[in-house]
Amino acid sequence: MIDNVVKAKTATKTMFLVCGLGIASWAPMVPYAKQRLNLDDANLGLLLLMLGCGAITMMPVSGYLGHKYGNRIVILCATLLMALTLPLLLILNTAIAMGVALFVFGAAVGTVDVAMNSHGVQVQNLYGKPIMSSLHGLFSVGGLFGSLGLGFLMKFGLEPITAAVSIAILLILIVSFQYRFLFDAATEKAAIANFSSEKETGAKSFSWLKKSVVFLGIMCFIVFLSEGAMLDWSALFLHENRGVNEAFTGMGYATFSIAMATMRLIGDKIVSRFNSKVVVVAGSLIAASGLFLAVLTPWTITALIGFILLGLGAANIVPVFLSEAGRLKNISAAVAIPAITTMGYAGQLAGPALLGLLAQFFSLPIALGCCGIFLVLVAAAYKWRKQE
């Protein structure tokens, strides 16, 4: 059994890497899509929204599918769909077709995301040690390689579509080889029975309205909001508010991403040494201090240090929340994890737009500073909340 758990742990790490690689491979394709479809920024923004809509639509459904059929088969099917859709994003030549493809691609990504997190929690429960931070760390590593991989292949003379097909084939080969080492449905159900209160109480709640689920979902919303702020607004902040040349504004998100990936890869040891409350409270305060440093000081170097602190502090918060979701009393992990994941991704999708409104009425530094205030609230709420 121990050998099977170790193999499942390795396979689950691979699934996180594959998902990060797949979703990030879309990023270098965006300029090609804009040029090919002759879109302005506003229409491009609406098109990009389809990806997030697909993800959020499927996240609640994927919990049900994983509960009924097992997360292994859900991960396999959704990853294959993601890989097969990826090359289409470089060749479709109408906005409607691209919108449909992005919705399907996002739906596949959202399905894999929930299924692999649900599976990861069960592996962690049977493994007996924290692994969620390293899983998310490999997702971040996959994201870094994915964002660079397409450009790297094209540097070697490959046509964009050939490069995209090559990445898709790589994803298919990896998941086809590794998925068999994931837990089957029976093993997952046994893990849920052994590590939840359902065994003792016989209660299986499928309601999203449990206070514990809503609380964790709101907390995830705030943390994902801060991550989305870095993705969508860090470059503009460096250019307009710190005078950084446009060619170098990407270093803000790069420093944040590298810091987050590094901290997640060592995060399991941190979670093992300190309890989850320390990790969440201290991490939220460190992340908030990073945002405050970035917006309250006038120098580029302190802004970059602030982004690094944000990445270091926020890195292990969501993995802790997902681990807790798999152990909530009287509620199935098949409901809790999709619920808080969906609320979290809503923060990443809709949050930056809310920050845009704040920036419009006040300023971008004030909008980013509000994210810091929200993170302080996360620290306070998690420290003093009463466990159910």
Side-chain angles (χ1 to χ4, degrees), residues 57-282:
T57 299
M58 277 304 297
M59 280 178 172
V61 179
S62 59
Y64 167 78
L65 294 175
H67 182 76
K68 184 171 183 179
Y69 301 108
N71 285 305
R72 179 168 71 173
I73 189 67
V74 174
I75 290 171
L76 173 64
C77 294
T79 304
L80 292 176
L81 180 61
M82 177 175 65
L84 293 173
T85 308
L86 187 64
L88 297 178
L89 303 178
L90 266 176
I91 60 176
L92 295 176
N93 54 15
T94 68
I96 293 177
M98 274 293 293
V100 172
L102 278 173
F103 185 91
V104 172
F105 183 72
V109 169
T111 301
V112 174
D113 192 283
V114 170
M116 70 185 184
N117 274 294
S118 298
H119 187 272
V121 168
Q122 308 316 326
V123 174
Q124 177 176 260
N125 288 340
L126 291 178
Y127 188 66
K129 297 179 182 179
I131 65 169
M132 291 303 292
S133 290
S134 61
L135 295 181
H136 283 259
L138 283 167
F139 178 86
S140 299
V141 170
L144 290 173
F145 278 110
S147 61
L148 299 173
L150 197 70
F152 182 78
L153 290 174
M154 287 188 292
K155 267 289 189 185
F156 274 83
L158 290 181
E159 292 293 323
I161 184 60
T162 306
V165 169
S166 300
I167 293 174
I169 291 173
L170 177 63
L171 298 180
I172 292 172
L173 290 175
I174 293 174
V175 73
S176 298
F177 178 75
Q178 286 290 331
Y179 94 97
R180 57 187 172 147
F181 298 114
L182 300 173
F183 290 156
D184 57 24
T187 305
E188 279 196 302
K189 288 180 180 179
I192 292 172
N194 287 331
F195 291 91
S196 74
S197 60
E198 291 176 12
K199 186 176 181 180
E200 290 83 16
T201 65
K204 287 188 178 181
S205 171
F206 281 81
S207 171
W208 282 35
L209 299 180
K210 284 279 189 176
K211 288 189 295 183
S212 54
V213 174
V214 173
F215 176 84
L216 290 175
I218 293 172
M219 298 297 100
C220 278
F221 181 97
I222 293 173
V223 177
F224 274 104
L225 167 62
S226 300
E227 293 183 26
M230 287 297 97
L231 178 63
D232 290 346
W233 294 106
S234 60
L236 189 64
F237 172 78
L238 289 176
H239 177 60
E240 294 188 352
N241 298 98
R242 296 297 177 265
V244 176
N245 186 283
E246 288 180 338
F248 300 104
T249 53
M251 63 183 175
Y253 186 68
T255 55
F256 163 80
S257 298
I258 292 171
M260 174 167 277
T262 302
M263 182 57 76
R264 280 179 168 172
L265 290 174
I266 64 172
D268 292 333
K269 294 181 180 178
I270 296 173
V271 176
S272 295
R273 184 171 180 179
F274 305 100
N275 61 46
S276 60
K277 184 167 289 189
V278 171
V279 172
V280 172
V281 173

Side-chain angles (χ1 to χ4, degrees), residues 30-31 34-35 38-49:
V30 175
K34 182 180 181 181
Q35 183 178 24
N38 194 27
L39 300 174
D40 57 26
D41 289 342
N43 288 325
L44 178 63
L46 291 174
L47 186 66
L48 295 177
L49 191 63

Side-chain angles (χ1 to χ4, degrees), residues 292-311:
F292 294 148
L293 178 66
V295 301
L296 294 177
T297 58
W299 306 290
T300 301
I301 186 63
T302 52
L304 295 177
I305 292 172
F307 295 161
I308 291 172
L309 289 174
L310 174 60

Side-chain angles (χ1 to χ4, degrees), residues 301-364:
I301 186 63
T302 52
L304 295 177
I305 292 172
F307 295 161
I308 291 172
L309 289 174
L310 174 60
L312 295 176
N316 296 311
I317 299 176
V318 170
V320 166
F321 289 160
L322 290 171
S323 297
E324 186 173 337
R327 301 188 300 266
L328 290 175
K329 294 181 179 180
N330 302 330
I331 185 165
S332 170
V335 173
I337 292 175
I340 72 167
T341 303
T342 303
M343 286 186 264
Y345 271 85
Q348 194 168 40
L349 179 65
L354 298 177
L355 293 181
L357 292 176
L358 285 174
Q360 180 70 28
F361 283 101
F362 301 101
S363 69
L364 183 53

